[in-house]
Amino acid sequence: MVRHIKRRQFVALSGAAGIAGLAGCIGEDAVEDGDENGDDEGANPDEGGQTLSWHAGGTGGTYYPLSGDFKSIVEENTPHGLQVQSTGASVANVGSLAREEADFALIQNDIAYFAVNGTGLEEFEGNAMENIRGVATLYPETIHVITQADSGIETVEDLEGASVNTGDLGSGTQVNALQILSTAGLEEGDFDEQNSDFATAADQIRDGDVDAAFVVGGWPVGSIEELATTSDISLVEVSGDLRESIKGDAEWFADDTIPSGTYGGVDEDVETVSVQAMIATHEGLDEGIVEEVTEAIFENTDDITQKADFIDAESAQDGMPIDLHPGADAYFN
């Protein structure tokens, strides 16, 4: 069953119709950390190459440094340059891809499915972004629910009445957080929702400005690592009957475990769930370019510093929820 989430504070559709209208609304909050154009890392194409726009996520998560790895690999092994931009991540990124303002983007596999099929979220209903194509899946994106060690919050249900940062407005993190909270029986008004990027959420936990925060990313997430060096933190388990119900409501979630010692002071394994990070593009991008970029990344995985243990050509189609771009298909198949 797909649970349809109505997210308060999401960018309103205001009567927009069709892919272009929806994508324009979603894209309004796309840039969060770069200059006014979101141009964080300029491209360096060689003669005959193209400048390709690559939309990542917030600088406090995994998408942004991983995109920096991809930039280095692509620019060393193809004539093309990647212009990496920090954004509001998955939901913002599918809007950019649908408008063909981004050539590549990192997104969650659940958001990719929702966007292409026009389902899952109220904002996607009847507005399928059918031009988005898959390139490769990368690694599990783990749901972290962070709180201060002495908060007394031990279960997701304990977040009733709490102040909770559910992630950037319009991000995949916010989508996942509200899905999990809803399955736990917490709806709008049952908690005080705050929205920001991962780095700001960590600061809010440190300063006591929120009781808990959701962060979705491959462990270890840099902003949580940094927080754990200065504050005593706890990670709330998503386990047992709740975890089974979450997977029943949303089949893209999978069991996951954050190993003990991943973050300072967290000395036991933490059971939770995860989605899958993936690279996406759009059908208008040249097949040869997509094949060159895909080949460069997966033939040079030894040069990847983020989540390198998971990123491999053999597993790059596991959990792929949408049609492949012909350029990616040419490399993998």
Side-chain angles (χ1 to χ4, degrees):
M1 178 182 72
V2 174
R3 182 181 293 269
H4 299 277
I5 305 296
K6 182 176 181 180
R7 292 173 293 141
R8 59 184 172 86
Q9 297 181 310
F10 195 89
V11 179
L13 289 184
S14 302
I19 293 174
L22 176 64
C25 291
I26 289 176
E28 288 178 2
D29 292 327
V31 175
E32 63 177 22
D33 289 311
D35 64 21
E36 64 182 1
N37 296 312
D39 301 338
D40 297 322
E41 295 190 24
N44 297 295
D46 295 333
E47 184 176 354
Q50 293 193 23
T51 294
L52 304 171
S53 176
W54 185 290
H55 285 198
T59 56
T62 305
Y63 281 8
Y64 192 78
L66 178 59
S67 296
D69 287 345
F70 292 154
K71 172 183 171 64
S72 297
I73 290 169
V74 169
E75 293 185 350
E76 289 175 6
N77 295 279
T78 80
H80 308 299
L82 292 191
Q83 182 174 299
V84 175
Q85 300 186 25
S86 60
T87 72
S90 293
V91 177
N93 288 355
V94 293
S96 298
L97 288 173
R99 297 190 304 275
E100 300 189 3
E101 292 178 357
D103 296 307
F104 294 93
L106 296 183
I107 59 178
Q108 294 175 193
N109 63 342
D110 56 331
I111 302 302
Y113 179 87
F114 289 159
V116 170
N117 290 280
T119 189
L121 299 176
E122 184 179 6
E123 291 77 11
F124 292 158
E125 288 293 332
N127 293 285
M129 300 180 185
E130 297 177 350
N131 63 331
I132 297 174
R133 295 290 180 267
V135 175
T137 55
L138 298 172
Y139 62 87
E141 288 206 275
T142 306
I143 311 298
H144 299 68
V145 187
I146 314 159
T147 185
Q148 291 187 347
D150 60 357
S151 68
I153 296 171
E154 297 182 355
T155 69
V156 175
E157 290 84 353
D158 289 340
L159 296 175
E160 183 174 5
S163 176
V164 183
N165 190 317
T166 61
D168 244 337
L169 190 64
S171 67
T173 297
Q174 187 194 28
V175 173
N176 295 151
L178 296 184
Q179 288 169 331
I180 291 167
L181 290 164
S182 179
T183 300
L186 304 183
E187 301 293 351
E188 180 178 351
D190 292 336
F191 57 94
D192 176 21
E193 184 180 4
Q194 303 292 316
N195 299 103
S196 74
D197 60 26
F198 295 165
T200 302
D203 289 341
Q204 290 178 322
I205 292 289
R206 178 185 297 111
D207 298 338
D209 294 332
V210 296
D211 299 307
F214 281 77
V215 172
V216 181
W219 49 261
V221 176
S223 56
I224 305 177
E225 281 189 302
E226 182 179 351
L227 173 64
T229 65
T230 60
S231 301
D232 293 331
I233 67 166
S234 177
L235 297 178
V236 179
E237 282 205 340
V238 181
S239 59
D241 291 343
L242 174 60
R243 180 158 73 172
E244 294 307 308
S245 295
I246 289 167
K247 292 188 296 179
D249 284 347
E251 59 270 24
W252 46 85
F253 282 116
D255 291 348
D256 202 356
T257 302
I258 303 169
S260 64
T262 299
Y263 302 106
V266 181
D267 298 327
E268 296 183 356
D269 291 351
V270 178
E271 299 303 308
T272 184
V273 291
S274 64
V275 290
Q276 194 77 357
M278 60 176 284
I279 304 171
T281 184
H282 59 80
E283 66 179 0
L285 191 58
D286 178 78
E287 179 176 340
I289 290 175
V290 175
E291 183 175 4
E292 287 178 308
V293 170
T294 306
E295 180 176 7
I297 290 171
F298 286 94
E299 295 297 320
N300 294 278
T301 54
D302 288 346
D303 295 329
I304 295 174
T305 65
Q306 304 285 323
K307 311 307 294 179
D309 291 345
F310 296 96
I311 300 174
D312 183 87
E314 295 300 317
S315 61
Q317 297 309 307
D318 294 350
M320 175 59 67
I322 61 176
D323 290 341
L324 280 185
H325 189 284
D329 186 67
Y331 171 72
F332 288 113
N333 298 316

